[in-house]
Amino acid sequence: LVLCNSAVSVEQWYQQFLMWTTVPKERVTKFTAGTKERLHPEACVLVSTYNMISFPGRRSKEALEVMADVEAREWGLLLMDEVHVVPANTFLTCTIKTKSRCKLGLTATLVREDDKIGDLNFLIGPKLYEANWLDLQAKGFIATVSCAEVWCPMTAEFFA
């Protein structure tokens, strides 16, 4: 089970699973506001958003069926993309509604403006690995960063 912030991220994860794994396409499923595919009855990969899993309101018949299946299964792995959003009350529901043997959180920015970043330790466990972005840049894994400060005059209306 892979949880993301947006439908765009869901599509990216979905395409990457198809590209880089040997999981048959019929076992890789998306669950978003626009796509409510039924889960394969056996083992499968489901890519969805935090909002789809934690949504407390009324759902369509299709969404109710998918959610019943999601909640009934014990997932081998719950992979949480942009895990720094998980401690928010809405997203916290995702760790409660789903059962998994293992949780893995990914983020490039393990920072929050509130005091809830420490909650990740008991929600999914401690940080296992941290890469220095300068090392990643030097080895060609990420693009070279270029920062520039640009000053421009602003009209009085901007400051009003």
Side-chain angles (χ1 to χ4, degrees):
L1 174 59
V2 179
L3 297 181
C4 311
N5 275 340
S6 68
V8 171
S9 294
V10 167
E11 187 61 33
Q12 290 171 340
W13 274 97
Y14 175 81
Q15 293 300 328
Q16 294 300 306
F17 269 104
L18 296 179
M19 183 184 307
W20 298 106
T21 71
T22 58
V23 178
K25 186 174 183 175
E26 64 272 8
R27 289 185 182 234
V28 182
T29 308
K30 294 180 280 188
F31 180 44
T32 64
T35 307
K36 294 166 189 69
E37 302 171 3
R38 295 186 78 97
L39 280 63
H40 192 279
E42 298 172 10
C44 68
V45 174
L46 173 63
V47 187
S48 187
T49 63
Y50 293 107
N51 285 330
M52 286 301 291
I53 301 299
S54 65
F55 183 68
R58 291 176 41 103
R59 294 180 184 263
S60 68
K61 181 178 183 273
E62 296 84 8
L64 284 171
E65 290 171 359
V66 173
M67 274 307 300
D69 199 354
V70 168
E71 291 177 0
R73 292 184 186 220
E74 181 175 4
W75 297 90
L77 173 66
L78 171 57
L79 193 156
M80 294 171 278
D81 192 23
E82 302 296 343
V83 73
H84 58 276
V85 303
V86 172
N89 292 336
T90 302
F91 302 128
L92 181 60
T93 306
C94 296
T95 61
I96 296 165
K97 282 191 172 187
T98 60
K99 297 179 287 290
S100 62
R101 292 181 177 265
C102 181
K103 293 177 178 75
L104 176 65
L106 304 174
T107 186
T109 52
L110 193 56
V111 176
R112 289 180 59 90
E113 292 182 12
D114 58 18
D115 293 330
K116 293 187 175 188
I117 201 69
D119 293 358
L120 288 175
N121 284 330
F122 68 85
L123 291 171
I124 63 168
K127 177 170 51 174
L128 298 177
Y129 180 77
E130 182 173 344
N132 181 304
W133 70 270
L134 290 171
D135 293 339
L136 294 173
Q137 179 181 285
K139 293 175 182 173
F141 292 115
I142 61 174
T144 302
V145 176
S146 176
C147 296
E149 184 174 341
V150 178
W151 286 76
C152 59
M154 303 301 290
T155 63
E157 291 82 17
F158 177 80
F159 298 103

